[in-house]
Amino acid sequence: MRISYHKEYSSFLNRDMEYKIYGHAGKPMLVFPTSLGRFYQFEDSGMIETLREFIDAGRLQIWACDSIDEETFFSAHWNREERINRHEQYDKYITQELIPGILQQSKGNNGGDEQKILISGCSMGAYYSANFFFRYPHFFDTLIALSGVYSTRYFFGDHLDGNIYYNSPLHYLPQLEDEGYLNQYRHSRIIVCCGQGAFEDEMLHETRLLQELLQHKQIPARIEYWGHDANHDWPWWNKQIHYYMSSCL
């Protein structure tokens, strides 16, 4: 398997950002870490090995990016406005610096074939992947979100001032009437999964709210709830990602 490490300066964040790429060709996949996680977490937690068959066959190429959670959603020092504004800078890093590079490299690695991105993550990574998917559907055609929350309640309580609202899918999606966005969702593959075991209660609640919302908007989605032994942890996410990837590629 081809693996490469990258460290590049972000003009939006005014700092270096790190990421790794796994594979040589195939569907481009962008994956986010869990809360306070790093770009190497996906590999360290066994997910790259779980997906090896798809990567080695040239069917999947993965970009594992870094987070700055300690400066945004989980900052212990900054106020709400500072935290959400810093996240908006991270948003611009992802959408205006990292993703254009992914699309360009993917096109070159796939003989000029332009493909949209499969975006994914577990726990906090599921929140990130869903939020980016719904805010920027022109970049993506597949979402695999595992054990996530889909609002900002967990981070900011009931506050929805400023940019907090625009990063809370369960709040901004009900108001969305733009058929351009809605049709892109309807023509994408949306997979949202949550276990029903330990430490999944909040994720389970918000997954059900998202399911109701998508049904109301007539957006097709595969929403599944695994058993009461399916915990909020990597062994289950490894099983889930392989199961769902088999139907996506």
Side-chain angles (χ1 to χ4, degrees):
M1 181 192 305
R2 181 188 300 172
I3 302 175
S4 58
Y5 163 80
H6 303 264
K7 184 175 184 179
E8 298 173 351
Y9 182 77
S10 166
S11 60
F12 289 108
L13 294 172
N14 294 314
R15 57 174 281 185
D16 290 326
M17 293 295 289
E18 298 170 276
Y19 62 94
K20 293 183 80 170
I21 305 174
Y22 304 86
H24 60 281
K27 181 71 174 176
M29 175 181 180
L30 173 59
V31 64
F32 292 85
T34 63
S35 55
L36 300 169
R38 298 297 310 280
F39 66 96
Y40 46 76
Q41 183 192 55
F42 204 68
E43 178 182 357
D44 288 354
S45 300
M47 301 288 264
I48 296 298
E49 188 61 32
T50 292
L51 297 174
R52 174 182 283 275
E53 64 181 274
F54 307 108
I55 299 170
D56 286 347
R59 299 171 62 194
L60 182 68
Q61 189 172 21
I62 299 175
W63 278 255
C65 69
D66 225 342
S67 72
I68 58 167
D69 287 345
E70 70 281 357
E71 301 174 32
T72 58
F73 294 105
F74 294 94
S75 171
H77 307 291
W78 294 359
N79 63 35
R80 289 196 311 276
E81 182 178 6
E82 292 169 332
R83 289 160 60 202
I84 199 63
N85 287 343
R86 185 60 169 163
H87 170 71
E88 284 295 297
Q89 294 173 342
Y90 177 72
D91 177 288
K92 290 181 173 61
Y93 157 69
I94 294 293
T95 58
Q96 298 185 38
E97 293 179 332
L98 183 61
I99 285 178
I102 292 174
L103 294 173
Q104 181 180 24
Q105 187 167 349
S106 174
K107 181 178 179 180
N109 291 342
N110 291 287
D113 181 23
E114 294 184 348
Q115 300 187 59
K116 288 190 174 183
I117 296 169
L118 186 165
I119 190 167
S120 184
C122 308
S123 191
M124 185 66 183
Y127 161 79
Y128 276 126
S129 60
N131 191 39
F132 278 106
F133 174 86
F134 288 120
R135 289 187 71 178
Y136 305 102
H138 53 287
F139 287 132
F140 313 107
D141 63 6
T142 306
L143 166 67
I144 303 178
L146 307 177
S147 298
V149 296
Y150 304 105
S151 75
T152 53
R153 294 188 187 97
Y154 188 79
F155 319 111
F156 297 107
D158 293 329
H159 297 283
L160 289 169
D161 45 306
N163 284 315
I164 296 176
Y165 172 84
Y166 295 104
N167 285 283
S168 190
L170 288 179
H171 289 99
Y172 65 70
L173 284 175
Q175 313 305 318
L176 181 63
E177 302 294 340
D178 188 319
E179 287 297 321
Y181 276 77
L182 295 173
N183 283 330
Q184 287 184 85
Y185 304 152
R186 291 169 183 148
H187 289 89
S188 296
R189 181 185 285 108
I190 299 174
I191 298 172
V192 182
C193 172
C194 189
Q196 300 179 75
F199 309 111
E200 288 279 49
D201 289 351
E202 186 155 9
M203 282 58 70
L204 190 59
H205 174 66
E206 296 220 341
T207 298
R208 287 175 175 146
L209 292 176
L210 181 63
Q211 181 178 18
E212 293 174 4
L213 171 56
L214 295 177
Q215 288 174 343
H216 179 72
K217 291 286 187 180
Q218 298 181 320
I219 298 169
R222 182 177 178 180
I223 314 289
E224 295 188 351
Y225 304 93
W226 287 38
H228 293 280
D229 56 344
N231 299 329
H232 193 85
D233 204 358
W234 289 103
W236 281 102
W237 296 331
N238 270 271
K239 294 176 184 179
Q240 291 162 359
I241 197 67
H242 187 274
Y243 175 74
Y244 292 118
M245 193 63 69
S246 297
S247 66
C248 290
L249 299 179

